[in-house]
Amino acid sequence: MKKRIVRITAALCAAALLAGCGSSIGSKDDGYYAAEAAAKESYANYDSAAGSVDSGLVPENAAEAATDETAQKIIYNASLSMESTDFDTTREALMTAVEANGAWLESTSLYGTEKDHDRTADYTVRVPVGSYRAFLAAVGDAGSVLNISESAENITSSYIDVQARLSALEAQRDRLNALADQAETTADLLEIESQLSDVQYQLENYTRQLRSMDQQVSYSTVDIYLREVATLTPTGVTFGERIADAFGGGWDAFVGFLQGLVIALVYLWPVLLIAVAVVFILRKVWKKRPKKEKLPKPAQTPPPAEYPVKPGDEPKPKY
């Protein structure tokens, strides 16, 4: 009996060592995977006059690379800021681009009111990596893109490490199942089942991690910020175009200011009417008040002479 317990204990230790060795497999192979492990960031190329947006990171064969087990595992993300004078039309165009490219909305939020023309919208879109470039182009056609940034994160090393852990844990599970079939006592069986439960938990955890990585590689994340404006921000490329856009925007802003002022006065007509009535009443009351009589000014006495005049020194009259 003691020899059997020793053998089972040794087998359990060997299975644990097998899992430990598997966890270090991904970290030892540094020659091939470390070259592409750093994250990248760049700005996409876009033509503001035409409204088209082109990715500066994602290759055209990104869809094949995402499903190829030997290819690099890269997560692509993008963030766009855009504005529009026709908010509803731009929103509809964005939703059409989402449906046309097989994407889906992960989150959305809307602020402001149509009455005040100050609406903003935030969208987080998950786009198939194969449709990433086409989706960005459709977004550029939907409104005026002010800026766009992209990032690429290479997770190949982490992906290989999780795969190695899964393989080692599966081998450990098979070994424990074989030991469970050979167990002759209840104590041995309970010990093996405890080990199996722990291995199964780790298998499920690493399986979820692998699925999450696959989803992030297969579906890029695009964050879109849309703002409703009365006048588009100048996006001309040349200095002359910027000057022309500035003149046009300044005139539109002036007209909008006058319109807003008139609308504000119309909104405030009851207050203005009450203010005019109050001023009229106050003027009437002020006019009816009795005027105060002016008191006569006291007679002014001549100032005393600087030097006293002695008797006999008075000036003699001239004849």
Side-chain angles (χ1 to χ4, degrees), residues 40-264:
K40 302 177 182 178
E41 291 187 1
S42 71
Y43 290 94
N45 299 319
Y46 68 97
D47 184 0
S48 58
S52 60
V53 180
D54 188 19
S55 172
L57 289 180
V58 180
E60 294 183 358
N61 62 342
E64 291 78 3
T67 56
D68 189 359
E69 295 182 357
T70 62
Q72 298 289 300
K73 302 299 180 180
I74 302 177
I75 300 174
Y76 297 102
N77 297 320
S79 178
L80 298 96
S81 176
M82 57 191 306
E83 59 185 17
S84 174
T85 56
D86 192 346
F87 190 80
D88 294 326
T89 301
T90 302
R91 286 185 60 198
E92 293 177 0
L94 290 176
M95 296 302 101
T96 301
V98 170
E99 296 178 0
N101 291 278
W104 51 278
L105 285 174
E106 188 175 61
S107 66
T108 177
S109 58
L110 181 64
Y111 308 95
T113 60
E114 182 180 1
K115 178 181 178 181
D116 297 331
H117 301 285
D118 62 347
R119 289 174 291 178
T120 60
D122 290 306
Y123 300 104
T124 299
V125 187
R126 300 300 300 275
V127 185
V129 68
S131 303
Y132 178 86
R133 299 169 68 95
F135 178 75
L136 289 186
V139 171
D141 295 335
S144 177
V145 178
L146 299 179
N147 54 70
I148 173 175
S149 62
E150 293 181 287
S151 66
E153 180 183 3
N154 194 322
I155 61 169
T156 305
S157 179
S158 300
Y159 192 90
I160 296 298
D161 183 65
V162 173
Q163 282 184 325
R165 290 174 183 268
L166 279 174
S167 299
L169 287 171
E170 288 174 353
Q172 184 181 4
R173 180 188 59 188
D174 296 339
R175 179 61 178 167
L176 290 173
N177 286 328
L179 290 175
D181 295 337
Q182 300 175 4
E184 297 180 355
T185 64
T186 304
D188 294 340
L189 185 59
L190 291 176
E191 179 66 22
I192 295 174
E193 288 180 351
S194 177
Q195 291 285 338
L196 274 173
S197 177
D198 182 60
V199 169
Q200 187 64 31
Y201 173 79
Q202 295 184 52
L203 278 171
E204 294 175 357
N205 185 26
Y206 284 118
T207 301
R208 285 194 298 267
Q209 291 185 30
L210 202 64
R211 290 176 180 174
S212 177
M213 290 181 180
D214 286 332
Q215 188 181 40
Q216 291 178 358
V217 171
S218 300
Y219 285 85
S220 300
T221 302
V222 179
D223 295 319
I224 302 174
Y225 173 73
L226 174 62
R227 182 167 65 97
E228 183 180 22
V229 295
T231 305
L232 296 177
T233 301
T235 56
V237 177
T238 64
F239 180 75
E241 291 176 349
R242 289 178 177 271
I243 291 294
D245 291 339
F247 271 112
W251 174 254
D252 293 339
F254 177 72
V255 173
F257 171 76
L258 292 180
Q259 293 176 350
L261 181 61
V262 172
I263 293 174

